[in-house]
Amino acid sequence: MLSHNLGYPRVGSLRELKKANEQFWAGTIDRDALQKTARKIRHQNWETQQNAGIGLIPSNDFSLYDHVLDTSLMVGAIPERYHQLLDGKSNKELDLYFAMARGYQKNGLDINAMEMTKWFDTNYHYLVPEFVKDQKFKRYSEKVLLEFEDALQKGILTKPVLLGPVTYLLLGKEKEGGFDRIDLLDSLLPVYISILKELAARGAEWVQLDEPGLVLDLNEKEKLAFLSAYNQIREAFPKLRILVTTYFGPLEDNLAIATALPVDALHLDLTRGAETLPQILGEEAFISSTKKLSLGVVDGRNIWKNDYQKSLEWIQAAVNVLGEERVLVAPSSSLLHSPYDLELEKNEAVLTPEIKNWLAFAKQKLNEVTTLARLATADYAIDSAFLDNQKAITSRRTSALIHKPAVKARVSEVREPDFDRQNAFSIRQAIQLEKLKLPLFPSTTIGSFPQTDEVRQLRAQFKKGTLTLDEYETRIREEIVDSLRWQEGLGIDVLVHGEFERNDMVEYFGEQLSGFVFTQNGWVQSYGSRCVKPPIIYGDVEREEPMTVKWSAFAQANSEKLVKGMLTGPVTILQWSFVRDDQPRKDTTFQIALAIRDEVVDLEKAGIKVIQIDEPAIREGLPLRKHAWQSYLKWAVDAFRLSAAGVADQTQIHTHMCYSEFNDIIDSIAAMDADVITIETSRSQMELLDAFAQFNYPNEIGPGVYDIHSPRVPTVDEMILLLEKALKVIPARNLWVNPDCGLKTRKWPETEAALRNMISAANLLRESVAVAG
């Protein structure tokens, strides 16, 4: 039975690409050195898959930054503001590429980066394609061809992977009115066909076109666009074998469109859409065709060992109807969302052997795929691989590590009053204005400050035991005090302690909660060079002692200004972890919410008057289909309210969200009832505020006035312009001034320059409002 893989992690098993990218951006290595690192990672990935026995190995699944940005460059969808960087020289392509991703501020030019948002319901970010009414497409980047040829030279005939043309358009944004981006399909397809023609001429036999847009709610026009696109592709290439992949959900009402596509194989994600399998096996037109069915049975987005019994039942059901020759075995999606290799986890004190035996990372998932393909045609009930797998599955199911009756009981005892603050926001706002005495347009930052090499080394030395606890904490206190004095000097109104003691906004809390376990090298790409090491939630979650109170109280004692307590919210901790799959996600989230609630109450007792509970992942966790939204939003909002509602009215609760389209869930955002919400709006030029204006959002808002994901420093005038846009839809008394996200990934010089400009903008705005008043 043929096995294949949809995609593989691309940052390197030890984050080699992250380091090379950052060195290239800093100017310490040249483009040849960067490309050498990239080539080495690609070769290692192909060899790993070849050694695992994968039948169809992907190429062009690698990216220096983002595969959607790669597609924009491939089809020449380069926004006009970047055209001044086009000079026809191939060695300048990299400068253009990173300018689109990160912005460009040198050689007298100042160009904003493209907007970035979440890839479906994952924690991966992509660069949003920008389209205009008369959009022209043309072949620009030859990356897909070069990487296919690179593999061929190593003796590997790969399956090139392209983001499908319809999903690519659906993921983009119209930057002017008067047209629908799906209408651009006819002008886009000739570029795709040209590229496919080149691949076929160079010997490609299979091509994978990713169309996860097929798991979304689609209108009739969008559904027909899929048929139109693939009819044209099939007509141009009657012999090239086309595999269309869908993932992240069931096909539901798009099943008929998907099965009608004139392609050679269709991929289903059975880990998130198992109901599609019996539906498609009941489709007479599909059964009577020659199309192959690719079964995504190994979860590409979580780290639990595959249950071979369950997967083999799915495979057998398909074989019974279609025959062995028409069934392919694969992961559910690209393994981009999984860590590299469980074998890199050597420290049993960090990851115990018992829990490690329950896990599978990307490399292990390849072996699961090929093993399942072999077992599907064997008497697997007596096969040692099957028996070992079932032993591990049973071990996890029956382990005493997982369940805490007291935690489950506490969740079951939560009642409606536990979700509510003492009074409505209008009353709380008046109390907070009197108690906190903040000026008009109060300024703050989102929480973290640049994590310098020195700060990282401090944590590393402490973990290795080369620094004592007293030495480490003394150094952290010095960093906090320095940051407080620096913020006071800038004139920021609500300070933060800088989070120098924290490694990651989720990992830091998971390390102090029961039910979590960690990895040493379980890195996953979030965007560009940004990698995260998600905790693993394996059991019931409980806070056994305060997590942040000591550092927050220390910071507040060292400043006469307000200092925010900084916490990560329950939904974000859930979304940005690898989550247990043996109980409903709601139950796990409520366990986390109660732990955060205890921390919020303790912060208030310690004299912290402003507490931020970050929830950037609320929108990310939204189901892809609207009919499932209401149920999710109810428990997600309740979880936030449960975490925040234990304090008095005078304690100001903030939350932060980034890269979220709020228009369709603004009522749920309001229902969270945070006193202040800070949001990302700078890359979209305040577009997101339209939702708040139309809804007449009642609480206070801090729309980010500059993009922290780009190294460019915005001008004072630029920030004032954004704030003036905000004032058209937000009452002056409700408007805060802040960056759009935490500053952990930035450098100190650009951070200081940008924040100085931000404070100047806030002061000038106060003066102009005072004069107008």
Side-chain angles (χ1 to χ4, degrees):
M1 190 171 291
L2 185 61
S3 63
H4 74 104
N5 183 30
L6 276 65
Y8 207 65
R10 56 213 188 194
V11 294
S13 59
L14 298 175
R15 297 180 294 160
E16 296 92 330
L17 182 63
K18 166 192 170 62
K19 296 164 188 173
N21 266 333
E22 292 175 353
Q23 288 169 345
F24 176 73
W25 298 335
T28 58
I29 64 171
D30 62 16
R31 68 187 68 244
D32 289 340
L34 173 60
Q35 294 292 9
K36 182 179 179 180
T37 298
R39 192 177 306 111
K40 182 178 179 181
I41 293 170
R42 291 198 301 271
H43 290 181
Q44 289 172 338
N45 287 355
W46 291 329
E47 289 167 4
T48 298
Q49 293 171 83
Q50 188 177 48
N51 293 338
I54 294 294
L56 297 176
I57 296 171
S59 61
N60 198 47
D61 55 328
F62 177 85
S63 178
L64 284 171
Y65 201 95
D66 166 49
H67 59 276
V68 183
L69 177 61
D70 293 343
T71 307
S72 292
L73 219 64
M74 179 183 78
V75 302
I78 300 166
E80 186 176 354
R81 64 186 180 277
Y82 302 105
H83 287 189
Q84 54 198 315
L85 299 176
L86 294 170
D87 62 4
K89 297 178 182 178
S90 60
N91 66 345
K92 294 294 185 182
E93 184 178 310
L94 209 54
D95 293 336
L96 171 66
Y97 180 78
F98 286 131
M100 293 168 72
R102 308 177 68 242
Y104 189 89
Q105 198 171 41
K106 57 185 176 181
N107 300 327
L109 300 177
D110 190 356
I111 312 173
N112 289 340
M114 294 177 71
E115 185 178 347
M116 188 161 59
T117 196
K118 293 296 178 73
W119 172 251
F120 292 81
D121 58 349
T122 75
N123 187 32
Y124 177 78
H125 304 65
Y126 74 92
L127 276 299
V128 180
E130 298 179 14
F131 303 128
V132 293
K133 189 174 183 180
D134 61 347
Q135 182 73 48
K136 300 293 190 294
F137 297 102
K138 65 177 182 179
R139 264 177 63 179
Y140 184 76
S141 171
E142 302 285 281
K143 172 182 177 293
V144 59
L145 304 175
L146 295 174
E147 293 186 9
F148 177 74
E149 289 280 3
D150 189 22
L152 271 184
Q153 290 175 12
K154 287 187 62 64
I156 302 174
L157 177 62
T158 58
K159 171 193 57 171
V161 178
L162 298 172
L163 179 59
V166 183
T167 296
Y168 172 68
L169 291 175
L170 291 173
L171 291 174
K173 180 177 283 189
E174 297 99 343
K175 300 305 287 186
E176 60 184 9
F179 79 106
D180 183 339
R181 61 194 182 281
I182 212 70
D183 293 333
L184 301 174
L185 182 63
D186 286 341
S187 58
L188 175 64
L189 276 176
V191 181
Y192 270 81
I193 288 171
S194 171
I195 291 162
L196 292 173
K197 181 178 179 180
E198 286 272 7
L199 287 169
R202 296 179 190 212
E205 296 179 0
W206 280 94
V207 174
Q208 174 181 316
L209 290 166
D210 288 347
E211 293 285 10
L214 281 164
V215 306
L216 302 176
D217 292 316
L218 301 172
N219 60 39
E220 199 62 27
K221 183 179 182 180
E222 292 164 345
K223 291 181 181 181
L224 294 175
F226 282 99
L227 285 174
S228 174
Y230 286 91
N231 281 329
Q232 292 182 59
I233 290 172
R234 174 52 72 206
E235 184 177 352
F237 303 100
K239 294 185 178 179
L240 183 63
R241 284 181 281 188
I242 303 293
L243 164 66
V244 166
T245 61
T246 68
Y247 41 81
F248 298 156
L251 290 172
E252 297 186 8
D253 58 323
N254 298 328
L255 178 66
I257 292 293
T259 56
L261 296 179
V263 297
D264 299 275
L266 179 66
H267 174 81
L268 305 178
D269 178 348
L270 297 188
T271 68
R272 282 170 174 74
E275 60 266 41
T276 306
L277 182 60
Q279 293 168 353
I280 204 169
L281 295 179
E283 285 258 327
E284 183 57 40
F286 186 87
I287 295 171
S288 60
S289 73
T290 60
K291 292 176 190 172
K292 296 181 184 294
L293 187 62
S294 169
L295 304 180
V297 293
V298 173
D299 194 341
R301 287 179 54 181
N302 214 331
I303 42 68
W304 302 110
K305 188 168 283 188
N306 184 267
D307 182 346
Y308 284 177
Q309 180 67 53
K310 182 178 180 181
S311 294
L312 287 165
E313 288 172 2
W314 283 333
I315 295 169
Q316 194 58 54
V319 168
N320 289 344
V321 176
L322 303 175
E324 289 178 9
E325 299 78 11
R326 289 179 61 190
V327 177
L328 285 72
V329 181
S332 60
S333 64
S334 170
L335 298 177
L336 165 71
H337 311 287
S338 296
Y340 260 84
D341 185 2
L342 190 60
E343 294 171 9
L344 296 174
E345 301 304 317
K346 307 290 189 184
N347 190 338
E348 294 185 358
V350 176
L351 186 61
T352 65
E354 180 179 5
I355 296 175
K356 185 177 179 180
N357 189 44
W358 303 339
L359 308 179
F361 291 178
K363 184 178 179 181
Q364 288 69 43
K365 289 176 187 294
L366 296 175
N367 291 323
E368 288 182 335
V369 167
T370 55
T371 300
L372 285 166
R374 178 180 65 80
L375 292 177
T377 58
D379 185 4
Y380 64 79
I382 59 172
D383 191 287
S384 61
F386 176 79
L387 295 173
D388 288 345
N389 172 266
Q390 291 302 287
K391 184 177 179 181
I393 298 300
T394 301
S395 165
R396 179 179 169 217
R397 188 180 299 127
T398 58
S399 174
L401 292 176
I402 292 175
H403 303 291
K404 287 191 169 186
V407 174
K408 296 182 191 298
R410 189 180 179 195
V411 171
S412 70
E413 292 164 3
V414 170
R415 298 293 180 263
E416 285 300 318
D418 296 322
F419 301 120
D420 297 331
R421 298 285 297 273
Q422 293 173 342
N423 285 292
F425 170 73
S426 58
I427 296 173
R428 299 200 308 269
Q429 185 181 39
I431 294 171
Q432 290 166 17
L433 283 171
E434 179 187 352
K435 297 288 186 181
L436 303 182
K437 303 189 185 311
L438 289 168
L440 198 61
F441 312 127
S443 59
T444 191
T445 62
I446 304 306
S448 59
F449 282 143
Q451 293 273 318
T452 62
D453 289 341
E454 187 175 82
V455 168
R456 292 192 185 97
Q457 287 166 10
L458 272 181
R459 289 199 302 268
Q461 289 167 356
F462 175 58
K463 283 192 172 183
K464 290 176 183 176
T466 56
L467 275 183
T468 67
L469 177 62
D470 285 345
E471 290 170 332
Y472 170 72
E473 292 192 342
T474 296
R475 296 286 298 280
I476 292 295
R477 282 193 289 268
E478 290 170 356
E479 292 284 348
I480 291 173
V481 171
D482 286 347
S483 78
L484 294 172
R485 299 295 168 262
W486 179 76
Q487 293 171 79
E488 290 165 349
L490 286 176
I492 295 174
D493 297 306
V494 177
L495 314 185
V496 296
H497 79 284
E499 303 181 11
F500 303 107
E501 80 286 3
R502 303 186 188 184
N503 41 20
D504 173 83
M505 65 182 290
V506 173
E507 185 177 6
Y508 178 76
F509 289 95
E511 286 176 338
Q512 301 180 79
L513 295 167
S514 66
F516 284 76
V517 74
F518 299 86
T519 63
Q520 292 175 290
N521 294 291
W523 297 102
V524 177
Q525 185 182 27
S526 179
Y527 64 87
S529 68
R530 170 71 169 148
C531 299
V532 294
K533 196 149 53 74
I536 298 166
I537 305 177
Y538 70 88
D540 289 333
V541 178
E542 184 178 26
R543 187 197 80 146
E544 296 175 343
E545 58 184 20
M547 301 179 287
T548 68
V549 174
K550 178 174 71 174
W551 295 116
S552 293
F554 170 79
Q556 186 60 82
N558 279 273
S559 181
E560 294 182 1
K561 288 195 167 187
L562 296 168
V563 181
K564 279 192 291 189
M566 300 299 306
L567 305 172
T568 303
V571 175
T572 297
I573 290 177
L574 179 91
Q575 283 293 130
W576 293 0
S577 300
F578 291 119
V579 183
R580 59 189 292 191
D581 55 3
D582 60 340
Q583 73 176 12
R585 292 170 71 85
K586 172 187 174 181
D587 293 354
T588 304
T589 310
F590 272 39
Q591 290 179 2
I592 302 169
L594 287 168
I596 299 300
R597 181 188 182 98
D598 292 343
E599 188 73 11
V600 169
V601 169
D602 281 349
L603 282 169
E604 183 184 55
K605 289 176 181 176
I608 308 302
K609 299 182 172 83
V610 181
I611 302 170
Q612 182 169 307
I613 308 172
D614 287 337
E615 280 291 24
I618 282 271
R619 180 65 170 79
E620 171 190 316
L622 199 65
L624 297 177
R625 295 290 193 140
K626 288 188 177 179
H627 66 72
W629 284 11
Q630 186 174 359
S631 172
Y632 161 76
L633 286 170
K634 176 68 170 69
W635 64 255
V637 169
D638 279 352
F640 177 85
R641 293 173 65 106
L642 182 62
S643 70
V647 294
D649 288 342
Q650 65 192 41
T651 298
Q652 190 175 71
I653 297 293
H654 290 221
T655 191
H656 172 68
M657 297 182 182
C658 52
Y659 305 116
S660 296
E661 297 288 349
F662 294 125
N663 303 55
D664 40 15
I665 62 165
I666 188 63
D667 54 340
S668 296
I669 302 301
M672 292 171 68
D673 198 28
D675 297 306
V676 182
I677 178 173
T678 53
I679 56 174
E680 181 278 324
T681 54
S682 58
R683 282 202 182 196
S684 63
Q685 297 296 298
M686 296 286 174
E687 284 179 13
L688 290 177
L689 286 184
D690 292 343
F692 290 86
Q694 293 164 11
F695 180 77
N696 194 23
Y697 184 79
N699 298 23
E700 297 178 20
I701 306 177
V705 295
Y706 82 89
D707 171 26
I708 69 90
H709 298 88
S710 168
R712 68 178 292 273
V713 176
T715 65
V716 174
D717 288 345
E718 186 179 334
M719 294 188 196
I720 288 175
L721 181 63
L722 291 176
L723 287 168
E724 287 174 342
K725 281 187 179 182
L727 272 175
K728 293 177 182 178
V729 296
I730 301 172
R733 72 177 184 280
N734 286 2
L735 181 62
W736 284 66
V737 181
N738 48 263
D740 66 0
C741 205
L743 296 160
K744 176 180 179 179
T745 60
R746 299 270 51 92
K747 305 295 184 186
W748 274 111
E750 69 203 46
T751 296
E752 179 163 2
L755 288 180
R756 284 192 185 281
N757 287 353
M758 186 188 84
I759 297 304
S760 295
N763 290 335
L764 287 170
L765 194 65
R766 287 172 191 149
E767 291 172 11
S768 65
V769 170
V771 170

